[in-house]
Amino acid sequence: VKSTLKSFSAAASMGKIAFLSLCFLLSSSLSQVRPSPADPWEGDMDTVILDRNNFTSYIQSQKLVMVEFYTPWCGHCRGFAPQYAEAARELKKDGIPLAKVNMDQELNHPFAGEYGISGFP
């Protein structure tokens, strides 16, 4: 996880925009996932919540942002939630926001076609 965060920070310093669909970006760390709590997103105060209404304006307002497309019923997404929250907390210190989009919400369904999201994980 730390090496991926360093790479992401390096990309930010070069002024690149990163836009990634996660749930398996850090797949090597998923093998270390512990059972997820009832609400693995509880207490995550550092990840920006996006939806169809604020997605474009937020992405355009940032120099660099990483976005996770997830569903609350996906076991891998649930297992990854604490690690993503930790990454959001760490990268926020460097001015790099992490965001997430709940694909279970009907208003976000068009993202699937637009960004080639065909399944979870």
Side-chain angles (χ1 to χ4, degrees):
V1 173
K2 292 196 186 280
S3 64
T4 302
L5 294 178
K6 286 181 184 177
S7 297
F8 196 71
S9 291
S13 67
M14 296 183 331
K16 294 183 179 177
I17 295 178
F19 183 78
L20 305 171
S21 174
L22 293 177
C23 277
F24 41 76
L25 173 67
L26 303 174
S27 59
S28 62
S29 64
L30 286 177
S31 63
Q32 303 168 9
V33 171
R34 291 165 187 73
S36 53
D39 183 358
W41 295 276
E42 185 177 334
D44 179 5
M45 304 301 290
D46 297 306
T47 306
V48 178
I49 298 172
L50 300 177
D51 63 25
R52 194 76 182 158
N53 297 318
N54 64 358
F55 184 85
T56 302
S57 62
Y58 185 79
I59 297 299
Q60 291 175 347
S61 73
Q62 300 300 312
K63 181 178 177 180
L64 180 70
V65 62
M66 183 166 22
V67 177
E68 172 191 19
F69 294 97
Y70 75 99
T71 62
W73 49 261
C74 168
H76 287 92
C77 298
R78 294 178 67 80
F80 185 62
Q83 293 172 331
Y84 195 71
E86 179 185 344
R89 192 170 31 261
E90 290 299 315
L91 289 172
K92 185 177 183 179
K93 295 173 188 175
D94 294 327
I96 303 170
L98 267 63
K100 60 187 173 186
V101 175
N102 182 346
M103 292 298 291
D104 217 28
Q105 295 176 338
E106 190 171 336
L107 89 139
N108 295 328
H109 288 179
F111 287 131
E114 291 171 18
Y115 296 103
I117 301 165
S118 60
F120 299 94

